[in-house]
């Protein structure tokens, strides 16, 4: 499972889903071309996360793509997910690697280049880098890092970099040009009126641009 | 580590601690006679829980008593704690047992007698039963179950039962008389002006009463 297509990484968000069913939205995103799904539920109980995670895992397994659990190594182990995504307030990468074994995926969102390099040393498989353009889903995030900031991370590590934060059909091409192997989106897909169509459009842009830049490293 | 003295089970609570250091308060409680410590931090990040859990684990290891982590199996594994305590919104006991292996302690707080019996079948090591007298620490809990409710749980399972909820020097004797093997307290120790003295008084009551009821089952 370590060879992953990071092109279109869709993150769940109950608020962006509104009254719509998350499994339905995720299935639509998969039909549209999502290549990775992340379960991200900051306010759910452990029991609820396991229940939802199992439902999503059925869908991702059917599609043959990885399900990543945000923060919660216990939930990832409980539902046998393919990996976890960790931030600077979550479990350190080195401990997560010990608990998850060598085969599961570990992603990390660093705040600094030093944290990025350290995560690479500690066994992370990819980095989530942002906020690139200013995200509507994390109103408490700092100022956007822009393409310039993204490029610095791409150059600092040899890990694949997934770009996140305000990415849409207008700017997706630019982040792939900057060296990201994929784009992570929450509201642009899960909050879209038609998540399948939204995913399809984004995936097409990423795939086309990656075809144009095959000579680039890190992919 | 499966032979545990459940007499005085002290649960951390940052709010009850106020501005005082939790490790200092826990150490005072241990000096006063705490026999089990539970790390319970509903609002801390995973990283903070690991940091605090490690600090507390040093103290409990020094004292030779178990550290139990509330809800978070990942944190328990990360800090190599002796066990977890689970509620009906947390990871199911059967999954926790699979992730934690046969030797770590698993406690469960059932809402019903059926849930209590199920937890016993799924491999729980003890039950936390309450709210016995009306707790100040969980204002959203239901009505207290009283000594009568506690007795029903004691009789329903062969697991050791730790009583929780509003237990203090005035009523501790009664819950041990009812068949509990110990008392779990938050504010009565962590929120006390002198946690060591508070622990000492509670422990003396439990120990004296357990000496009187050695013929009772479940201990």
């Amino acid at each position: 499972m370590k060879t992953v297509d990071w092109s279109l990484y869709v993150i769940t968000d109950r608020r962006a889903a509104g009254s719509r069913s998350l499994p339905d939205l995720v299935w639509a995103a998969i039909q549209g071309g999502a290549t990775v799904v992340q379960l991200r539920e900051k306010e759910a109980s452990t029991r609820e996360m396991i229940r939802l995670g199992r439902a999503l895992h059925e869908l991702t397994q059917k599609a043959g793509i990885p399900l990543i659990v945000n923060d919660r190594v216990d939930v990832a182990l409980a539902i046998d997910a393919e990996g976890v995504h960790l931030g600077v307030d979550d479990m350190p990468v080195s401990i997560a690697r010990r608990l998850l074994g060598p085969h599961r995926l570990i992603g990390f969102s660093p705040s600094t280049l030093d944290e990025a390099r350290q995560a690479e040393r500690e066994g992370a498989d990819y980095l989530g880098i942002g906020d690139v353009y200013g995200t509507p889903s994390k109103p408490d995030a700092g100022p956007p890092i822009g393409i310039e900031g993204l490029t610095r991370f791409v150059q600092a590590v040899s890990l694949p970099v997934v770009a996140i934060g305000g990415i849409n059909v207008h700017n997706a091409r630019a982040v792939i040009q900057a060296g990201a192997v994929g784009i992570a989106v929450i509201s642009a897909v899960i909050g879209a009126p038609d998540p399948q169509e939204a995913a399809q459009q984004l995936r097409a842009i990423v795939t086309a641009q990656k075809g144009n830049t095959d000579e680039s490293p890190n992919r």
Side-chain angles (χ1 to χ4, degrees), chain A residues 1 4-13 22-23 25-31 33-40 52-53 55-61 63-70 79 81-85 105 126 183-185 189-190 199:
Chain A
M1 185 46 98
V4 177
D5 179 351
W6 299 104
S7 298
L8 182 56
Y9 185 126
V10 172
I11 302 174
T12 68
D13 185 330
L22 261 181
L25 293 170
V26 165
W27 184 242
I30 290 172
Q31 295 294 98
T35 61
V36 180
V37 172
Q38 181 190 116
L39 169 62
R40 181 171 176 277
L52 180 56
L56 298 186
H57 202 204
E58 256 185 56
L59 305 179
T60 58
Q61 284 182 307
I65 65 174
L67 176 68
I68 308 278
V69 178
N70 189 286
I79 68 172
E82 283 71 29
V84 297
H85 190 86
L105 298 163
Y126 74 95
I183 58 173
V185 289
V189 167
I190 294 299

Side-chain angles (χ1 to χ4, degrees), chain A residues 180-204:
Chain A
V181 297
I183 58 173
V185 289
I186 307 180
S187 42
V189 167
I190 294 299
D194 184 337
Q196 177 169 346
E197 195 195 355
Q200 212 155 16
Q201 289 177 352
L202 288 165
R203 172 71 186 277

Side-chain angles (χ1 to χ4, degrees), chain A residues 132-156:
Chain A
V132 179
Y133 289 114
T135 171
S137 304
K138 278 189 174 179
D140 56 336
I145 62 170
I147 287 291
E148 206 184 337
L150 173 65
T151 305
R152 275 197 292 273
F153 281 98
V154 169
Q155 292 171 347

